[in-house]
Amino acid sequence: MPRPRRPDDLVAPLLDAVAPRAKSLIVTVYGDAVLPHGGSAWLGSLIDLLAHFGLSERIVRTSVFRLCKDDWLINTQIGRRSYYRVTESGQERFTAAGRRVYAPLNRVWDRGWHLLMLPPNALDAELRDRLRRELAWLGFGVAAPNVFAHPDYDEAAMHRLLGELGVADKVVHMKATHDRAAGPGALREMVRGFWDVDRLEHDYAGFLGRFRPVWQALAADEAPDPRVSFVLRTLMIHDFRRILLRDPMLPPDLLPPDWSGQEARTLARNLYRRLRQPSESFLMAALTTANGPLPEAQPSFDARFGGLTDGAGDGDSLRDAVGQADVRL
């Protein structure tokens, strides 16, 4: 029987497979790791941290500069050192994305639908197109010309969007309920017309293929290396985030019974729980703020994926689960 691969054996292949772009990877690092610890870091320590992903000092500096122009980060100069923290606008965007990326596995659907309707000629073409793009990012599907639908949307993010675009008084928001007497067949076909479920299925299957070996490798490692744990955690969340932010987050009732998106979320949660402690110890030692080391993570960090502190995925429970990995994941 071949010896299981070690976690550090998987870093280089995953870097090649995920192939993160520098600017996007820095967004992942700030949203996943820096923001829970206050949202600020010394540029020098950030450069050293991102070198573990093969990023040069020049590309990090250039990417951080661009993120400042895009209002994700802001620079504070203290002496000869530059510290970059998340802007207020960046925090709002991270919070909206985090509600999706770290959502609990089990969500209850009340069988309701939310419809957003644009009266004819209410918006000019440019603003209408922008609204359509932003609603798609929030997971809304196009039900008909000027009609957008979602069964379980992020209400706070939607109202924030309508307010930012100045169209809150020009969009009609209505609610509907699916008739329980109707069978699921027609509804699921309608869903496939609104959203590209097949592409998401393909992308989630790719994620499972890339990160299931990490789960298997961790089963044979009593104490994963902190640096390797941080790199694996970041690559996993980066890959997962890119898929998930195109996922409308539909209730399970509307998806195929063997929906790979649920398997991917289960795997992401279990890996995150397993990698949390060693990756956090590496992060705390690696990054520096204007006031010294990173502060401890905010309490909301432990609520990710429905809770990180119940011990699931650790120690003996992880090894016991590996034999069932093909079933559970």
Side-chain angles (χ1 to χ4, degrees), residues 49-70:
L49 182 72
L50 292 167
H52 297 289
F53 299 88
L55 299 186
S56 68
E57 177 178 349
R58 180 185 63 80
I59 194 65
V60 173
R61 289 182 179 275
T62 300
S63 300
V64 167
F65 174 75
R66 290 174 178 168
L67 288 169
C68 288
K69 291 187 66 176
D70 292 342

Side-chain angles (χ1 to χ4, degrees), residues 175-284:
K175 297 182 180 181
T177 303
H178 177 239
D179 183 359
R180 292 177 179 270
L187 187 58
R188 285 178 176 169
E189 283 303 311
M190 185 186 74
V191 164
R192 287 187 175 275
F194 290 0
W195 295 280
D196 193 348
V197 175
D198 291 335
R199 180 188 175 189
L200 284 170
E201 178 79 22
H202 175 271
D203 291 345
Y204 278 128
F207 174 85
L208 290 167
R210 287 186 289 277
F211 286 94
R212 272 177 172 155
V214 177
W215 175 262
Q216 298 286 341
L218 288 169
D221 198 329
E222 292 284 349
D225 177 78
R227 182 193 73 83
V228 171
S229 296
F230 179 77
V231 173
L232 291 174
R233 165 185 154 184
T234 303
L235 289 175
M236 185 270 290
I237 284 294
H238 186 77
D239 199 20
F240 186 58
R241 176 178 70 89
R242 288 190 301 189
I243 303 170
L244 192 75
L245 293 183
R246 291 187 285 101
D247 187 337
M249 303 287 286
L250 301 175
D253 309 49
L254 303 179
L255 296 166
D258 56 350
W259 173 241
S260 61
Q262 186 69 6
E263 296 182 60
R265 181 170 290 281
T266 300
L267 177 60
R269 180 202 62 183
N270 289 346
L271 282 173
Y272 206 89
R273 284 173 166 173
R274 177 61 168 136
L275 295 169
R276 173 185 179 273
Q277 185 173 352
S279 64
E280 282 290 289
S281 67
F282 177 77
L283 178 70
M284 296 286 287

Side-chain angles (χ1 to χ4, degrees), residues 27 34 56 70 78 99 103 110 125 143-144 150 181 185 209 247 275 286 294 327:
V27 169
V34 181
S56 68
D70 292 342
I78 301 179
R99 283 195 292 266
D110 63 2
H150 199 287
D247 187 337
L275 295 169
L294 285 181
V327 176

Side-chain angles (χ1 to χ4, degrees), residues 57-97:
E57 177 178 349
R58 180 185 63 80
I59 194 65
V60 173
R61 289 182 179 275
T62 300
S63 300
V64 167
F65 174 75
R66 290 174 178 168
L67 288 169
C68 288
K69 291 187 66 176
D70 292 342
D71 198 28
W72 282 97
L73 302 176
I74 188 169
N75 174 32
T76 299
Q77 194 77 22
I78 301 179
R80 300 179 62 182
R81 289 189 169 189
S82 295
Y83 298 86
Y84 287 86
R85 63 177 175 83
V86 179
T87 64
E88 183 176 342
S89 173
Q91 287 189 36
E92 292 177 352
R93 284 179 277 178
F94 278 129
T95 298

